[in-house]
């Protein structure tokens, strides 16, 4: 359950980051710290053929995606169309954000109920089991984000002209991530047999995605802390660039398994919203991020969200393929977002708890 804590915890994290110490708020229960011993079978899918409309390549990619998503919901993609120079430039700008003085970060902190802005260890929302990280989040509108240069305008408003280079880099990065996300939805449609209807691409043509930069400082007690605690993403799909430090782990087959960084690859995973939109056929699995005792880890995450007021339901064809019974009530992203921000700390049971909480659910 979410709980607020004094905002003065944030400077504490900034200080401890430099000292490589682990205060009590950051120490996790032993059962959450069991080390992963084996690698997750997350296929690395070459999208070159898919993006060039090669029918054989499309069929192969769809088969790999379907198998991965029905098992754990994670796969990696290469030759994805996102410029490697753009990815590198965006990664290079991360330090510029997190090297800001603490008082400047606090001025940029995200407000209660909002996802935009700076967060130090999510201490603005939780009092214990804090993640060993700092984040900076902002939005990108699918329909108007490129046209209105929404990322540039946001950075100009909150950080000023001296961050114009950073703003331009992330504007281009989000534009390319959004283009890739739409391609991934097309691939998911093929894998689910609803590509003729373009059900998901039409559903996500509009919406507001969350772009997040993560900074995981090195820690001299990595065996006691987590960079990000166990959680499932409440959004639809997630596009992740992780550096070569590694640390992403997925809970699959009742054990933690690590996802090995693959050069020039992006990690894609299914979130709770898309799990509901497939009637539970595609899995949104719990995952976490570990920290390193010698190296700082950086990652960039693009969470794809639908329009807040759009009614969401799995397509009939998918429900029929899954036995004909709807497992989830119709819902709106605005309600799921509100639930995860103000009522529930996301975990592997978020969807079940959400539909019990949702007033319009048949269960209520």
């Amino acid at each position: 359950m979410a709980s607020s804590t004094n905002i003065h915890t944030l400077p504490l994290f900034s200080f401890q980051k430099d000292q490589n110490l682990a205060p009590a708020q950051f120490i996790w229960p032993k059962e959450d710290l069991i080390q992963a011993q084996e690698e997750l079978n997350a296929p690395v899918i070459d999208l070159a053929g898919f993006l060039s409309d090669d029918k054989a390549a499309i069929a192969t990619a769809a088969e790999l995606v379907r198998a991965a998503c029905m098992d754990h919901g994670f796969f990696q993609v290469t030759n994805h169309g996102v410029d490697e120079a753009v990815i590198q430039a965006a990664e290079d700008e991360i330090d510029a954000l997190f090297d800001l003085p603490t008082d400047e970060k606090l001025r940029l902190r995200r407000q209660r109920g909002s996802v935009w802005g700076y967060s130090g260890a999510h201490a603005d929302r939780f009092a214990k089991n804090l993640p060993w990280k700092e984040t900076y989040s902002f939005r990108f509108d699918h329909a108007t984000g490129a046209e209105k240069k929404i990322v540039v305008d946001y950075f100009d408003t909150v950080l000023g002209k001296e961050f114009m280079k950073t703003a331009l880099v992330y504007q281009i990065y989000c534009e390319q991530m959004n283009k890739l996300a739409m391609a991934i939805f097309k691939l998911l449609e093929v894998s689910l047999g609803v590509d003729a209807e373009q059900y998901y691409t039409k559903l996500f043509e509009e919406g507001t995605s969350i772009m997040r930069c993560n900074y995981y400082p090195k820690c001299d007690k990595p065996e006691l802390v987590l960079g990000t605690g166990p959680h499932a993403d409440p959004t639809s799909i997630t596009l992740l660039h992780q550096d070569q430090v590694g640390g992403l782990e997925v809970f699959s087959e009742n054990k933690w398994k690590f996802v090995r960084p693959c050069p020039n690859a992006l990690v894609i995973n299914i979130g709770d919203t898309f799990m509901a939109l497939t009637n539970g056929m595609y899995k949104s699995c719990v995952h976490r991020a570990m920290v390193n005792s010698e190296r700082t880890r950086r990652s960039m995450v693009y969470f794809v969200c639908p329009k807040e007021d759009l009614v969401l339901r799995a397509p009939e064809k998918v429900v029929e393929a899954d036995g004909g019974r709807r497992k989830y009530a119709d819902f709106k992203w605005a309600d799921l977002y509100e639930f995860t921000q103000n009522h529930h700390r996301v975990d592997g049971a978020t969807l079940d708890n959400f539909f019990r909480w949702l007033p319009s659910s048949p269960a209520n």
Side-chain angles (χ1 to χ4, degrees), residues 46-291:
D46 187 335
L47 291 185
F50 172 80
L51 294 174
S52 61
D53 291 326
D54 181 297
K55 291 184 178 180
I58 291 171
T60 298
E63 182 179 346
L64 290 169
V65 164
R66 182 178 175 84
C69 290
M70 292 189 73
D71 186 10
H72 47 64
F74 278 77
F75 56 97
Q76 300 195 61
V77 294
T78 58
N79 292 316
H80 38 64
V82 181
D83 193 327
E84 292 177 19
V86 170
I87 295 175
Q88 186 60 59
E91 185 178 336
D92 290 344
E93 291 299 318
I94 290 178
D95 286 351
L97 294 172
F98 296 107
D99 284 345
L100 286 168
T102 298
D103 58 349
E104 183 71 5
K105 293 180 192 176
L106 294 182
R107 185 182 67 81
L108 302 171
R109 67 182 180 270
R110 70 180 192 181
Q111 300 302 308
R112 181 71 172 172
S114 171
V115 75
W116 324 124
Y118 169 82
S119 176
H122 295 336
D124 52 334
R125 295 185 61 205
F126 307 113
K128 63 179 182 178
N129 294 348
L130 297 183
W132 191 262
K133 69 175 180 179
E134 296 177 88
T135 67
Y136 195 78
S137 307
F138 45 96
R139 69 189 178 99
F140 184 83
D141 289 346
H142 304 172
T144 62
E147 176 187 341
K148 294 186 176 181
K149 300 299 179 188
I150 191 167
V151 176
V152 170
D153 289 345
Y154 173 76
F155 270 76
D156 186 35
T157 300
V158 301
L159 284 168
K161 300 297 183 185
E162 62 269 31
F163 274 83
M164 186 54 64
K165 176 190 173 186
T166 305
L168 289 169
V169 166
Y170 287 125
Q171 175 73 43
I172 296 170
Y173 183 85
C174 287
E175 290 173 8
Q176 295 200 13
M177 281 291 152
N178 193 59
K179 183 178 180 181
L180 174 60
M182 295 304 111
I184 296 296
F185 282 126
K186 290 180 181 178
L187 179 55
L188 290 167
E189 287 170 344
V190 175
S191 74
L192 287 161
V194 293
D195 48 309
E197 302 94 314
Q198 297 183 327
Y199 189 89
Y200 299 115
T201 49
K202 290 179 180 177
L203 196 63
F204 288 92
E205 282 175 345
E206 296 183 341
T208 301
S209 288
I210 303 164
M211 173 65 198
R212 177 170 296 161
C213 298
N214 293 318
Y215 184 90
Y216 301 91
K218 62 182 180 179
C219 177
D220 68 346
K221 296 292 183 182
E223 70 279 5
L224 299 179
V225 305
L226 292 174
T228 300
H231 69 287
D233 296 338
T235 48
S236 58
I237 62 171
T238 301
L239 284 64
L240 166 72
H241 165 73
Q242 60 170 341
D243 62 19
Q244 295 303 299
V245 174
L248 174 62
E249 297 184 352
V250 179
F251 196 71
S252 176
E253 298 179 322
N254 293 314
K255 66 182 77 170
W256 287 106
K257 300 181 181 182
F258 62 88
V259 178
R260 189 184 304 277
C262 178
N264 304 319
L266 296 169
V267 179
I268 314 295
N269 71 270
I270 300 300
D272 289 341
T273 296
F274 200 80
M275 180 174 171
L277 285 169
T278 64
N279 207 44
M281 289 180 63
Y282 282 8
K283 302 299 185 288
S284 171
C285 271
V286 171
H287 50 286
R288 67 184 184 183
M290 311 303 286
V291 295

Side-chain angles (χ1 to χ4, degrees), residues 116 207-208 305-312 331-335 337:
W116 324 124
T208 301
C305 311
K307 286 185 68 175
E308 290 189 352
D309 60 351
L310 199 63
V311 175
L312 304 175
F331 69 102
K332 295 180 180 180
W333 165 242
D335 292 327
Y337 172 77

